[in-house]
Amino acid sequence: MQPRASGTRRRALIVGGSLGGLIAANLLLRAGWEVDVYERVGEALAGRGAGIVTHDELFRAMERCGITIDQTTGVEATSRLTLDRAGNVIGAEFPLRQVLTAWGRMYRLLKDAFAAGRYHFDKSLEHIEQDGAGVTACSADGTLATGEHVGTATGIRGRPASTKKRAARRQ
């Protein structure tokens, strides 16, 4: 890869705009990178997903993304019970603090924290090209995005992109 000019920002491309992609993009942005997110789906993902049980690691990552975690993030559960099929309690109640929330709530918080205009919908990745100058992500609609790094967070319905090596460009 060619050396960067002094004072220029590193550039990352994130393929997949769901929770994992948005966490990666927000963290890179706050570390000084120029970042764009490319999402296959053509509209906001906020109405998708279901209820989720969070963990402290998720909240720490979100706080590093600049997101304030407060009582609007979800509903706190302080303990658990185990029930049999008839609804009878089995064993003792045990303490376990977690916050229950909606996938859409986490998505909205992360998307709102990300740079406006750098999240691109309807960009289905076809393949990635790599050469001495960096990487190029090629979308089905012909969009080309170049950077120094590409990260993929395509989720359960994603498919891996093929990678093509190009001959190093001669200057």
Side-chain angles (χ1 to χ4, degrees):
M1 184 177 298
Q2 302 296 324
R4 261 181 302 123
S6 178
T8 60
R9 293 174 68 188
R10 297 182 79 178
R11 179 159 165 70
L13 315 172
I14 302 296
V15 178
S18 188
L19 301 184
L22 281 168
I23 288 172
N26 274 296
L27 291 173
L28 285 166
L29 187 67
R30 279 153 183 78
W33 287 63
E34 181 180 336
V35 184
D36 281 273
V37 173
Y38 298 89
E39 170 54 45
R40 175 183 54 85
V41 175
E43 70 276 343
L45 304 177
R48 297 165 186 252
I52 60 173
V53 178
T54 64
H55 296 276
D56 289 338
E57 294 81 3
L58 172 63
F59 288 151
R60 282 197 301 272
M62 292 180 75
E63 286 170 340
R64 288 181 56 209
C65 292
I67 297 167
T68 300
I69 304 300
D70 60 21
Q71 69 277 4
T72 67
T73 305
V75 176
E76 183 175 343
T78 58
S79 63
R80 297 287 187 273
L81 287 174
T82 304
L83 306 175
D84 67 15
R85 290 180 188 213
N88 300 311
V89 175
I90 302 172
E93 181 175 355
F94 62 96
L96 180 60
R97 185 200 164 274
Q98 290 182 304
V99 176
L100 312 176
T101 190
W103 181 94
R105 176 72 174 135
M106 299 292 96
Y107 170 80
R108 179 54 48 210
L109 289 169
L110 287 161
K111 180 130 181 348
D112 288 349
F114 190 63
R118 293 204 166 268
Y119 188 103
H120 311 281
F121 291 104
D122 204 21
K123 300 296 176 192
S124 181
L125 179 67
E126 284 294 312
H127 66 274
I128 298 168
E129 297 178 358
Q130 179 179 355
D131 64 17
V135 293
T136 301
C138 307
S139 295
D141 67 358
T143 300
L144 302 177
T146 59
E148 293 176 65
H149 173 78
V150 63
T152 59
T154 55
I156 195 168
R157 291 185 187 93
R159 62 176 176 75
S162 64
T163 303
K164 299 179 180 181
K165 290 213 179 239
R166 295 180 295 187
R169 296 180 198 161
R170 299 186 190 268
Q171 295 187 351

